[in-house]
Amino acid sequence: MRPLLRGVRVPNIKTTASKKAVPMPFHGTVTIPMSMHIGAAAEPIVKRGDTVFVGTKIGDVGGSISAPVHSSVSGRVSEIADITTPDGAMCQAVKIESDGKMTPDERISPPQITGTDEFISAVRESGIVGLGGAGFPTHIKYEGCKGRKIEELIVNAAECEPYITSDTRTLLDRSDELLFGIEAVREYLGIKRVIIGIEKHNRAAHGALENMLNQHPKTELKLLSDIYPQGAEKVLVYHTTGKVTPAGKLPLDVGALVSNCTTLAEIGKYLKTGMPLVSKCITVDGGSILDPKNVIAPIGTPISALADFCGGTVGDPYMVLFGGPMMGLTIENADTSFVMKQTNAVTFLSEKEAARKRETACINCGACANHCPFALDPRAFLRAYRCDNVGELGRLRVDICMECGCCSFICPAAKPLVETNKLAKAKLRAYLDEKRAKEKQEGRRERDK
Amino acid sequence: MKRLHIGSAPHICTGRTTRGIMLDVIIALIPTSLAGIIIFGIRAVFVLLAAVLFSVLAEYVFCLVTKRENTVGDLSAVVTGLLLGLNLPANTPIWQAAVGAVFATLVVKCFFGGIGQNFANPAITARIFMLVAFSNLANAAYPTLVDTVSGATPLQILSSGKLPSFFDLFFGLKGGSIGEVCIFALLIGGIYLIVRGVILPHAPVAFILTVFGLSLLYEGGDIASALAWCLSGGVFISAIFMATDYSSTPITPMGKAVFGVGAGAITVLIRFFGTYPEGASFAILLMNIITPFIEKITARRPFGSEVRVNE
C-alpha cells in the first residue's frame, strides 16, 4: 500500500460528541432557501397565503441538477423573498409563519420501491442532498452509478473538522435508520462491498458501530488516522480502498460511491416513513457559545435562534460560520441566515480563536507543501499568482486544490494561501475557458474557408 | 447582534511563527555554544557576541537605509550571526568576525531579498568568504590556539593515519571551530529541533551516513577510522544546522535526502582529494547552488495527476 496522504493535526475539540441531540422547538417564521444544493435552485410551487404542513413540497426541481424543497413547519406562506446564501449568491426563499402545531402533511407515506429507478426517484422526492456539507443532490449522484461498475459504497463517518459532531450523533442516535439506508443503497444500486470510514479518535462512535456491525458482517469498519482532512471525499476513498481518483474525476469514476452517514440515515428515514428532509441535526459550538450542543432544528430556522437555544453567546461572537473553523463560510448577519439542508454545524468563534497572525515574509520552510494532502505546492501558487503566470499555475496543477485549508493553517508566515489558491483556480479556469472559446472560433473560421 | 467579521477559511491557525521557529533554532544552538565556551574559554564568548551583534546591526541598518519594515524582530539575524560565530575558531580576531557577520547578513541575505530569499546559507558563505579573504584563517583552517587543547586538529591527525580518542571526539576535547567540536551538544540541539518539528531528519541523517559510508570505503572497511572521520570537523554542525536551512535547501523529504547525500559526498571528496582539510562548508554551498534543480527532480506528484510538478 502506498503511503497515507498528508494533512494537519487540528485541535480535537469535540465537546458535544457525548451529548444526545436535542430537538429544538421553533414557532416563529422559517425562511427556506430554494438553493440548498449544488445546481439549479428549486422553483417555488407555493404562493403567499398558501397553507402548508411539515413535509409539504414547496419547491420543485428547477433544472437537470437540482433537488426539491419541503416545508419544515406547518403554517402559512407569508412571503417569497430574495435572500443571500452563505456563499454570497442570491436566491429565492419561502417564508412560512409557523402555526406552532408542526402538523405533518397527511399525504406523507412510505414510498413503494421495487427497483433501482423507483429508489432513485424516491431519493429525489425526499429532497436529500449531500449532507456532509457539499450539498450535491444525492439522486444525481446515484443516477451516475447506473452506467458504471460500482465496487464499493464508502460511508463517510470521518468528521475531521474541530467542533463538529453531528455525524457522530447520527452514528449513535440513528443507527437503525443508517443501516436501513445502507442496505437500500446496497440492494438497489447493486453494490457488494460497504466500508464505513471513521477516525480512530472517535472511540464512542466506532465502539457503537462495531456492536452494530456484528449483525451485519457484510459491512466493514475501517479505522482511519486522526488527520485533517480525513473526511474529504478523495482522501477517504484512497484511505479506505487505496484507489486514487484522477484529477478532475469523481470517485464514481474509480468505482467508489461515497455517501455521508447522515445522508444515508436520512434516506433510511425517508424509506421508512416518507418524511422528506425537513430538519437537521446541527452542532452549535465554538468559543462564544455558552451551552454547546447538537440541536435538531427545522430547516429555515434563523441562526440567531440556534445561539439563543444554546444558552446564548459570551458577549458578541466575533465570527459565525456555516461549518467548522477549517472550511466554514462566514456569515454577515445571524438574523438573516438560516439553517439549510447541508448545514451540519454552526460555529460561533470568539475573537481569540479567530485571531490571525501578522503576515510576514515566506521563509520557504515548505510546511504548506509538505502538509498538502494532494502534494501540491501552495508556495509556488502564491509566487505564480502574484506574477500573473497562468501557465505556471496550470503546470503546478492548482486545479487539484480542494481548499481544505491545511496550508494556511500551518503557515508560520500567515500567508493567505487558500485564498490565493481559490483566486488562482478562478483565474486558470477563466483563462482555459477563453482559450477554448478562441480555439472553437478559429476552428469555425477554418471550416468557413 | 454586533456586526460579524467575515473572512476566507481557514479561520484558525497554528501558533507557529517565523520568530518562534528562529527561537527554537537559537535554543537548539545553546548546548553547543556553551560547550564551545567551556572548551575554548572566554575568547569564544567575544567571537560569538561580535558575530551576533554585527549580524543584527547589519540587518537593522539595511532596513533603515532601504526604508523597509524592520525585520530584526524575527530573530533570523541572530541565528545567522550565531551560526557564523560557531563556525569560526575561537582565536578569530574580533574585527574579522564582525566583518564576516556583516557579509553574511547584508550581502548574502539582505541583498537577495531578505529572509527566505537567499539562495545560499549566509553563515556558510560568510565562512568561506573569510577563509578566502583572511589568510590567517585560510592557512590554518582549523588551528588549535587555546591552551586546553593543544596540538593538531583531529582532521590533521587523521590525515597522518593515526586515530584520536573517541571520547575526545564525541565530547569536543579537540581543535576546531567553536561550535563544531562537541558532537554530544550538537546532537542534543538536533534532536530538539526534530522533536519540535522545526527540521526533518532526512538531510542530516543522509549527510552523516554518506560521510561515514564513503570514509569506510576510502579506509578500506576500517569502521573506527570511518567513525573518526564522521565525528571530526564540521560534519555534524553542517548536517544539523546548515543542511536544514529553509531557504537554501529543498523542501520535500526526498529533496532533503538528496541534498544530504550530495553534501556528504562533496565533503568526503574535498577531504580526501582536495587542498583544504575540511570540505563541509564548500559542500553545503555547492549543494545550495544546485538546490533549485534538486527541487525540480524531487517535486512530489500531485494526487491524481499524471504530470509531475515542474516537468
Side-chain angles (χ1 to χ4, degrees):
Chain A
M1 177 106 175
R2 271 179 286 189
L4 296 181
L5 301 180
R6 318 273 176 95
V8 294
R9 299 232 168 224
V10 293
N12 182 22
I13 319 168
K14 299 280 188 184
T15 335
T16 52
S18 55
K19 296 189 211 165
K20 205 168 156 53
V22 238
M24 171 184 159
F26 182 71
H27 302 306
T29 299
V30 292
T31 307
I32 305 176
M34 289 293 111
S35 177
M36 298 189 281
H37 50 259
I38 291 173
E43 288 291 335
I45 52 168
V46 288
K47 52 186 191 306
R48 207 172 150 215
D50 283 0
T51 305
V52 292
F53 301 96
V54 178
T56 307
K57 199 196 267 187
I58 54 169
D60 212 342
V61 285
S64 57
I65 297 179
S66 189
V69 178
H70 304 82
S71 174
S72 58
V73 294
S74 58
R76 207 174 51 84
V77 176
S78 62
E79 197 188 350
I80 294 175
D82 281 337
I83 61 151
T84 311
T85 54
D87 59 5
M90 294 285 283
C91 81
Q92 283 187 307
V94 175
K95 286 183 185 283
I96 301 164
E97 243 169 58
S98 172
D99 58 11
K101 292 182 195 137
M102 298 300 274
T103 323
D105 195 316
E106 55 192 18
R107 282 167 295 177
I108 283 171
S109 62
Q112 297 300 313
I113 292 168
T114 46
T116 308
D117 291 334
E118 286 88 351
F119 173 67
I120 292 174
S121 57
V123 172
R124 184 180 64 233
E125 285 312 305
S126 70
I128 293 169
V129 299
L131 301 179
F136 187 78
T138 305
H139 67 98
I140 305 283
K141 194 189 245 184
Y142 290 179
E143 192 76 46
C145 295
K146 284 208 305 201
R148 297 179 169 96
K149 192 177 155 23
I150 303 300
E151 285 150 346
E152 54 264 301
L153 165 67
I154 298 161
V155 181
N156 191 349
E159 209 165 27
C160 49
E161 281 251 18
Y163 289 123
I164 309 181
T165 61
S166 49
D167 283 346
T168 303
R169 285 326 302 183
T170 297
L171 300 174
L172 293 170
D173 302 342
R174 306 174 63 184
S175 52
D176 288 350
E177 287 169 351
L178 172 63
L179 282 180
F180 198 73
I182 290 174
E183 285 313 312
V185 172
R186 187 209 299 272
E187 188 181 336
Y188 296 117
L189 298 181
I191 300 169
K192 289 211 174 61
R193 195 170 169 213
V194 179
I195 309 168
I196 303 181
I198 188 165
E199 286 148 305
K200 279 189 197 122
H201 68 55
N202 199 347
R203 286 223 179 73
H206 68 66
L209 275 177
E210 264 162 18
N211 289 336
M212 197 169 89
L213 293 179
N214 284 337
Q215 290 112 47
H216 287 261
K218 276 193 286 181
T219 303
E220 299 160 45
L221 191 65
K222 174 92 182 169
L223 293 187
L224 306 164
S225 63
D226 303 328
I227 59 137
Y228 174 90
Q230 190 65 265
E233 205 172 42
K234 290 181 179 182
V235 175
L236 185 72
V237 169
Y238 178 73
H239 284 171
T240 47
T241 65
K243 289 178 177 178
V244 175
T245 311
K249 299 275 183 191
L250 297 168
L252 285 185
D253 294 316
V254 291
L257 170 65
V258 184
S259 262
N260 173 269
C261 58
T262 306
T263 310
L264 288 162
E266 279 301 330
I267 291 174
K269 180 182 165 194
Y270 182 74
L271 296 180
K272 278 184 172 175
T273 65
M275 178 56 81
L277 178 57
V278 292
S279 64
K280 259 319 282 288
C281 172
I282 299 157
T283 306
V284 182
D285 203 345
S288 294
I289 281 286
L290 276 168
D291 182 19
K293 54 181 147 219
N294 277 296
V295 299
I296 300 166
I299 285 164
T301 308
I303 297 305
S304 48
L306 292 179
D308 295 341
F309 186 69
C310 294
T313 55
V314 195
D316 287 313
Y318 182 78
M319 236 179 205
V320 179
L321 310 171
F322 264 80
M326 289 300 283
M327 284 186 86
L329 297 170
T330 52
I331 57 171
E332 279 179 65
N333 190 328
D335 294 317
T336 56
S337 293
F338 310 94
V339 170
M340 305 206 294
K341 286 179 184 174
Q342 72 273 47
T343 310
N344 51 8
V346 177
T347 310
F348 294 75
L349 288 183
S350 63
E351 186 163 0
K352 197 175 143 225
E353 286 174 290
R356 295 214 163 181
K357 293 181 280 195
R358 203 171 57 88
E359 188 183 339
T360 51
C362 171
I363 55 170
N364 210 36
C365 63
C368 51
N370 286 333
H371 286 86
C372 177
F374 288 169
L376 300 169
D377 191 352
R379 141 199 96 116
F381 295 153
L382 189 69
R383 273 200 300 258
Y385 181 76
R386 290 192 173 165
C387 304
D388 215 13
N389 189 343
V390 188
E392 179 76 0
L393 287 174
R395 202 165 56 242
L396 292 165
R397 299 305 302 261
V398 72
D399 55 307
I400 291 176
C401 171
M402 60 170 158
E403 301 163 20
C404 66
C406 290
C407 48
S408 289
F409 175 78
I410 204 85
C411 180
K415 289 285 174 201
L417 297 168
V418 181
E419 275 171 89
T420 309
N421 292 0
K422 288 179 189 170
L423 293 168
K425 278 165 75 174
K427 185 175 258 184
L428 180 65
R429 220 169 18 238
Y431 169 80
L432 291 176
D433 286 347
E434 199 182 312
K435 199 171 145 191
R436 234 169 269 139
K438 215 182 263 171
E439 274 167 10
K440 215 172 169 185
Q441 214 171 16
E442 268 164 23
R444 204 171 296 146
R445 216 173 285 149
E446 290 282 299
R447 270 202 310 278
D448 290 347
K449 270 180 198 167
Chain B
M1 215 175 257
K2 212 181 71 179
R3 234 187 108 79
L4 297 170
H5 290 255
I6 55 167
S8 173
H11 309 288
I12 52 171
C13 56
T14 55
R16 170 167 288 192
T17 57
T18 303
R19 189 189 160 91
I21 291 171
M22 292 303 157
L23 197 64
D24 268 341
V25 178
I26 293 170
I27 291 170
L29 285 169
I30 288 174
T32 192
S33 305
L34 285 179
I37 292 165
I38 292 166
I39 294 163
F40 296 109
I42 196 78
R43 276 263 340 144
V45 179
F46 294 135
V47 173
L48 294 180
L49 276 182
V52 171
L53 195 70
F54 277 87
S55 170
V56 173
L57 209 63
E59 182 158 316
Y60 181 75
V61 172
F62 178 80
C63 291
L64 213 63
V65 170
T66 55
K67 299 192 175 67
R68 276 155 190 260
E69 189 195 351
N70 189 356
T71 50
V72 170
D74 67 23
L75 298 179
S76 71
V78 175
V79 171
T80 299
L82 193 54
L83 275 175
L84 174 67
L86 291 171
N87 264 288
L88 295 173
N91 65 318
T92 310
I94 302 298
W95 69 270
Q96 286 183 359
V99 169
V102 171
F103 182 87
T105 297
L106 192 66
V107 178
V108 189
K109 195 176 104 184
C110 292
F111 283 3
F112 284 90
I115 187 165
Q117 300 293 322
N118 49 294
F119 72 91
N121 186 313
I124 281 289
T125 315
R127 174 77 184 83
I128 291 170
F129 158 76
M130 291 171 75
L131 208 62
V132 178
F134 307 126
S135 55
N136 57 328
L137 287 174
N139 288 342
Y142 292 91
T144 310
L145 290 139
V146 274
D147 293 338
T148 45
V149 193
S150 53
T153 64
L155 283 177
Q156 288 159 348
I157 301 172
L158 270 167
S159 297
S160 67
K162 276 178 283 186
L163 218 55
S165 126
F166 278 104
F167 180 86
D168 290 356
L169 283 180
F170 192 68
F171 288 99
L173 304 176
K174 60 190 177 195
S177 303
I178 299 166
E180 75 180 20
V181 289
C182 186
I183 307 299
F184 178 65
L186 286 167
L187 280 176
I188 293 174
I191 290 165
Y192 175 79
L193 288 182
I194 291 168
V195 169
R196 293 282 295 164
V198 174
I199 62 168
L200 288 175
H202 299 67
V205 170
F207 193 148
I208 293 163
L209 286 183
T210 306
V211 170
F212 180 76
L214 292 180
S215 303
L216 197 64
L217 210 64
Y218 182 79
E219 294 285 357
D222 181 358
I223 293 175
S225 303
L227 203 59
W229 280 111
C230 264
L231 296 175
S232 308
V235 171
F236 272 76
I237 193 172
S238 299
I240 294 170
F241 292 101
M242 307 297 184
T244 55
D245 177 43
Y246 286 150
S247 51
S248 59
T249 66
I251 60 161
T252 61
M254 178 54 107
K256 287 176 194 295
V258 170
F259 185 97
V261 170
I266 297 172
T267 302
V268 172
L269 285 178
I270 295 176
R271 277 185 177 181
F272 294 149
F273 306 107
T275 336
Y276 286 100
E278 175 58 313
S281 304
F282 291 101
I284 295 285
L285 182 61
L286 285 169
M287 292 308 288
N288 283 164
I289 292 167
I290 64 162
T291 288
F293 302 103
I294 301 176
E295 291 221 292
K296 230 171 212 182
I297 56 165
T298 58
R300 290 166 69 206
R301 187 187 293 267
F303 184 80
S305 79
E306 299 310 311
V307 199
R308 201 183 266 258
V309 173
N310 286 341
E311 222 164 57

